[in-house]
């Protein structure tokens, strides 16, 4: 029987990062991935000869070289990746666009401050106070008990429109809970989006994944693709054996799972965890990707990298009642980063909206494809209210499109209900009810590309290397 010191479930960002750490320190480690492609929620695929990224809008947490003590610096150092290799280009600028107000922000926090002062002059002192509280929030408190972020923000901000405008990007990029979020998660997201910022490699997520795979292979890590874990056998409160999808058996001293908490519990034979269903995430999304021959800037749309939009003044972040919730969303234009002399070959516009898992999963195959066509059009129409008028002309030049739904996410990543941000309850210390089973990634509580890599590193350090 194959035996490893550590078995990792999943070759997404967190699993790969954990694997690199362990392989660097000479552990005999194997990553088991059910899909044929690495990357998990952040992957890539080809369709009709064109390469599409899954996931990546932007890497959050961007800071300029030399800024010390930040998440980006930490993951690069711990994974032994240089900034030059990653080749990040900064965003041009982003917007929070509600029907009644518009706030621009960039990787320079002063822009958001000046925008808040311009649009909400009475709130600027409160906003500065909130930012100061977030700046001084101790990292050690990031695993503190639940505290409503809304209640803390209301200590500083009186205008509910500004409150909702601040929550909109932070929830869309990292909340597994409806309407409100834990203050420690709010702090992580505020820092990563507003105080730090957005950047992207020209080649997209492929660049990051190739670097991770290269580091893992060179350090001696083993990777088994197309090889899912179908069962975890237990004895004496420990995982004693992993059963692969083809029925073969593997032993490991320690198991780290990035598959998600309820998804991992369901693998455990005979483990009656009645709460597995309660642990499932409630929020899922659709994303449309439109491809154009020309760049958005050719149509006078070169200023927006990411637009978080919302119709009206009240922002509702909850499981969509309709197939897709057209009232709010995120528009991302990968062309609008500071690439210098370089550029992407084609124009790309991605639009993400909240979506209803049960409706998407209920369609028959033909109906499903027709619904995709229908909603793709409707999503563009809704988002175009927050695009420049030229976007209507631009739309006529669309040469290709694709769309993914909660069903796609579940089919390719096995996340229950296609919930990208996983379970509403997180295991912040990564431990489970089994002594040698730990979770990393989404359900340990660190979301996004940088967050999930940080999680993989932290769980490997804490539960294997330091143990
Ligand atoms: C549309 C979309 C847009 C996003 N945009 C951004 C963005 O712009 N910026 C950002 O920072 N983040 C973004 N994210 C979020 C980010 O992609 C995720 O938070 C992050 O990739 C999660 O990584 P992970 O390792 O925790 O989980 P995953 O990527 O889900 O990795 C888990 C892996 O486990 C595998 N697996 C599951 N079950 C089994 C099993 N039984 N056996 C073997 N393997 C198994 C899965 O196939 C998967 O590869 C986006 C995500 C999506 C989907």
């Amino acid at each position: 029987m194959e035996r490893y010191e550590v078995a990792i479930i999943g070759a997404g960002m967190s699993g790969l990062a954990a694997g690199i750490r362990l392989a660097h320190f000479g552990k005999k480690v194997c990553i088991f991935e059910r899909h044929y492609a690495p990357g998990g929620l952040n992957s890539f695929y080809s369709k009709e000869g064109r390469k599409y990224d899954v996931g990546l809008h932007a890497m959050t947490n961007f800071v300029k070289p030399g800024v010390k003590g930040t998440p980006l610096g930490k993951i690069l150092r711990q994974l032994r990746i240089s900034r030059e290799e990653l080749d990040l280009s900064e965003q041009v600028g982003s917007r929070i666009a509600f029907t009644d107000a518009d706030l621009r922000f960039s990787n320079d926090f002063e822009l958001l401050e000046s925008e808040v002062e311009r649009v909400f002059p009475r709130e600027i002192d409160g906003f500065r106070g909130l930012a100061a509280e977030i700046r001084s929030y101790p990292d050690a408190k990031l695993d503190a008990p639940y505290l409503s972020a809304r209640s803390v923000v209301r200590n500083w901000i009186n205008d509910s429109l500004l409150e909702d405008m601040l929550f909109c990007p932070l929830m869309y990029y990292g909340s597994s809970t409806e309407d409100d979020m834990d203050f420690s998660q709010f702090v992580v997201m505020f820092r990563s989006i507003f105080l730090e910022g957005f950047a992207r490699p020209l080649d997209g997520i492929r660049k990051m994944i190739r670097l991770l795979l290269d580091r893992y292979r060179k350090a001696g890590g083993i990777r088994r693709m197309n090889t899912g874990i179908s069962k975890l056998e237990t004895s004496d409160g420990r995982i004693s054996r992993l059963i692969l999808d083809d029925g073969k058996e593997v032993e490991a001293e320690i198991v780290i799972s990035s598959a998600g908490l309820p998804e991992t519990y369901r693998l455990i034979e005979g483990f009656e965890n009645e709460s597995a269903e309660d642990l499932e995430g409630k929020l899922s999304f659709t994303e449309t990707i439109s491809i154009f021959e020309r760049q958005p800037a050719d149509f006078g749309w070169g200023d927006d990298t990411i637009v978080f939009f919302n119709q009206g003044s009240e922002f509702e972040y909850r499981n969509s009642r309709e197939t897709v919730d057209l009232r709010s969303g995120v528009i991302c234009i990968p062309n609008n980063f500071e690439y210098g002399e370089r550029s992407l070959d084609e124009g790309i516009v991605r639009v993400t909206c909240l979506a209803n898992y049960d409706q998407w999963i209920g369609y028959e195959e033909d109906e499903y494809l027709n619904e995709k066509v229908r909603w793709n059009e409707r999503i563009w129409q809704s988002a175009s209210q927050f695009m420049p008028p030229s976007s209507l002309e631009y739309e006529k030049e669309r040469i290709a499109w694709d769309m993914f739904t909660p069903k796609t996410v579940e089919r390719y990543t096995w996340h229950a209900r296609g919930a990208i941000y996983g379970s509403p309850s997180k295991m912040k210390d990564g431990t489970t009810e089994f002594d040698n089973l730990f979770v990393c990634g989404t359900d340990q509580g660190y979301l996004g590309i940088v967050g999930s890599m940080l999680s993989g590193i932290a769980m490997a350090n804490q539960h294997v290397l330091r143990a």
Side-chain angles (χ1 to χ4, degrees):
M1 193 189 304
E2 279 176 58
R3 283 194 179 83
Y4 298 98
E5 286 177 279
V6 186
I8 296 176
I9 306 179
M13 295 289 152
S14 63
L16 286 169
I20 293 171
R21 275 309 280 169
L22 298 173
H24 276 156
F25 285 88
K27 294 286 172 195
K28 189 179 179 199
V29 51
C30 182
I31 301 180
F32 295 89
E33 168 58 56
R34 185 171 273 154
H35 198 19
Y36 61 80
L41 286 165
N42 251 290
S43 190
F44 53 90
Y45 62 96
S46 289
K47 188 179 168 195
E48 293 154 7
R50 184 172 277 109
K51 289 180 185 147
Y52 290 89
D53 270 358
V54 184
L56 179 77
H57 284 183
M59 272 178 69
T60 55
N61 299 90
F62 178 83
V63 286
K64 300 225 186 274
V67 182
K68 297 238 175 338
T70 62
L72 181 63
K74 185 171 177 188
I75 57 166
L76 295 179
R77 202 174 54 252
Q78 297 245 342
L79 300 177
R80 302 181 193 170
I81 293 172
S82 71
R83 287 183 76 108
E84 291 69 33
E85 286 174 297
L86 194 51
D87 188 24
L88 289 175
S89 300
E90 290 189 58
Q91 65 167 323
V92 172
S94 293
R95 262 191 306 140
I96 310 165
F98 279 36
T99 309
D100 302 325
D102 218 271
L103 292 175
R104 293 198 66 83
F105 67 97
S106 67
N107 291 355
D108 180 353
F109 184 67
E110 279 179 19
L111 175 60
L112 180 59
E113 255 187 345
S114 66
E115 285 282 279
V116 171
E117 191 164 22
R118 178 179 66 81
V119 184
F120 299 97
R122 290 203 196 129
E123 298 288 347
I124 184 62
D125 292 340
F127 179 71
R128 288 198 177 116
L130 174 66
E133 178 169 348
I134 289 168
R135 278 199 170 98
S136 63
Y137 192 84
D139 286 345
K141 265 179 82 178
L142 290 176
D143 55 3
Y146 180 87
L147 172 63
S148 155
R150 293 265 184 194
S151 69
V152 179
V153 170
R154 283 174 192 159
N155 291 337
W156 295 104
I157 307 274
N158 295 311
D159 191 317
S160 61
L161 175 59
L162 175 59
E163 178 188 320
D164 275 356
M165 290 183 87
L166 295 176
F167 270 93
C168 175
L170 311 192
M171 290 186 136
Y172 257 105
Y173 272 7
S175 178
S176 58
T177 52
E178 297 177 314
D179 293 334
D180 198 353
M181 60 205 287
D182 184 10
F183 185 60
S184 67
Q185 179 65 6
F186 182 88
V187 168
V188 168
M189 298 310 299
F190 192 101
R191 286 178 180 167
S192 68
I193 294 175
F194 295 144
L195 293 175
E196 295 171 355
F198 296 141
R200 180 186 192 276
L202 180 72
D203 291 340
I205 198 62
R206 254 154 287 197
K207 178 87 178 187
M208 188 79 220
I209 293 174
R210 278 194 203 117
L211 284 169
L212 294 175
L213 293 180
D214 175 74
R215 292 300 180 278
Y216 184 59
R217 186 178 50 81
K218 286 190 176 143
I222 304 161
R223 183 163 56 98
R224 304 263 307 265
M225 304 302 288
N226 285 315
T227 309
I229 302 297
S230 66
K231 247 186 249 167
L232 295 173
E233 285 183 1
T234 59
S235 110
D236 296 332
R238 294 175 65 78
I239 305 298
S240 53
R241 209 166 281 183
L242 297 88
I243 315 295
L244 310 185
D245 285 343
D246 65 8
K248 293 205 177 95
E249 298 178 359
V250 172
E251 279 182 356
E253 289 163 30
I254 293 177
V255 179
I256 300 180
S257 174
S258 66
L261 190 60
E263 294 85 349
T264 302
Y265 278 157
R266 287 214 171 94
L267 295 175
I268 299 174
E269 212 179 37
F271 181 55
E272 296 298 323
N273 191 313
E274 284 164 11
S275 60
E277 207 165 303
D278 297 341
L279 289 174
E280 283 178 351
K282 308 266 176 297
L283 294 161
S284 198
F285 301 84
T286 55
E287 182 160 288
T288 62
I289 307 169
S290 301
I291 310 288
F292 305 87
E293 245 167 64
R294 292 198 276 168
Q295 307 270 323
D298 297 340
F299 283 77
W301 191 15
D303 305 339
D304 287 330
T305 304
I306 298 175
V307 182
F308 299 89
F309 68 88
N310 182 61
Q311 290 167 9
S313 53
E314 274 175 39
F315 170 58
E316 201 174 278
Y317 182 80
R318 10 187 62 241
N319 184 20
S320 178
R321 283 186 291 269
E322 278 215 71
T323 310
V324 177
D325 187 343
L326 294 172
R327 293 171 302 167
S328 68
V330 187
I331 306 164
C332 168
I333 301 130
N335 303 79
N336 293 343
F337 285 80
E338 306 277 8
Y339 299 125
E341 297 298 304
R342 304 169 301 165
S343 63
L344 297 177
D345 295 340
E346 296 178 314
I348 307 173
V349 179
R350 312 174 74 109
V351 186
T352 311
C353 292
L354 287 154
N356 184 297
Y357 167 82
D358 293 305
Q359 299 201 21
W360 282 106
I361 208 78
Y363 295 131
E364 298 291 332
E365 197 55 29
D366 276 1
E367 209 182 355
Y368 177 70
L369 297 177
N370 290 338
E371 288 297 315
K372 272 189 167 186
V373 174
R374 194 164 81 87
W375 284 101
N376 182 43
E377 288 307 317
R378 295 191 68 190
I379 288 169
W380 185 278
Q381 272 168 22
S382 163
S384 65
Q385 296 167 45
F386 300 90
M387 299 175 183
S390 57
S391 65
L392 294 173
E393 286 306 303
Y394 195 42
E395 189 199 2
K396 292 182 192 148
E397 297 200 6
R398 181 159 55 207
I399 52 172
W401 68 277
D402 199 11
M403 177 172 182
F404 73 75
T405 72
K407 182 172 170 172
T408 326
V409 175
E410 192 175 55
R411 185 187 285 169
Y412 292 108
T413 68
W414 295 275
H415 279 295
R417 301 183 63 80
I420 289 171
Y421 297 135
S423 173
S425 22
K426 305 298 186 193
M427 299 303 270
K428 289 185 181 171
D429 63 2
T431 59
T432 66
E433 301 187 29
F434 298 86
D435 289 349
N436 63 342
L437 173 66
F438 302 97
V439 291
C440 73
T442 309
D443 281 347
Q444 189 255 324
Y446 282 80
L447 302 168
I449 299 167
V450 173
S452 53
M453 285 194 277
L454 264 183
S455 162
I457 291 168
M459 293 302 99
N461 288 347
Q462 200 168 316
H463 299 300
V464 187
L465 299 177
R466 268 185 228 138

